[in-house]
Amino acid sequence: MDTNDLQQLVGYLENHGLQVTVNEAEMRMRVTNPLNHRLTEEILALSDRYVTGFDYEIGVRGAEEECADRIARILAVGPFRTRRAAG
């Protein structure tokens, strides 16, 4: 995993309206719900996976959009978009 993967995740999180502070040297970020700053989660990039500060696995490299959706749900934001049913 590299900083490009981390920045891709940041972009998806910002699409959810979340505030993100990144520490690229440590491959970690702090994600905050701007409507309630107590709703904050620390996300770390470890090997090929993303985990919370409590070591809860969010997802893996290559699935940054799905990881962002999970983090948004944890922070009470909900999904950014509505998925269309396969037709």
Side-chain angles (χ1 to χ4, degrees):
M1 189 169 311
D2 60 29
T3 57
N4 290 332
D5 300 313
L6 202 63
Q7 288 302 321
Q8 186 177 19
L9 178 56
V10 168
Y12 288 123
L13 291 167
E14 289 174 344
N15 285 344
H16 280 285
L18 295 165
Q19 294 176 337
V20 184
T21 304
V22 180
N23 181 333
E24 288 185 355
E26 295 182 12
M27 296 296 286
R28 71 176 60 226
M29 65 182 76
R30 179 172 297 271
V31 185
T32 304
N33 181 328
L35 299 176
N36 183 343
H37 285 79
R38 290 186 292 181
L39 294 173
T40 298
E41 191 64 59
E42 182 177 36
I43 304 297
L44 296 88
L46 300 175
S47 297
D48 65 341
R49 61 191 187 109
Y50 296 101
V51 297
T52 68
F54 294 104
D55 204 34
Y56 174 80
E57 186 168 326
I58 297 297
V60 297
R61 177 183 189 193
E64 283 76 15
E65 187 171 12
E66 291 81 7
C67 292
D69 291 345
R70 289 184 191 108
I71 295 165
R73 283 192 297 274
I74 289 171
L75 296 176
V77 175
F80 174 67
R81 67 197 176 290
T82 304
R83 296 186 189 268
R84 291 193 297 172

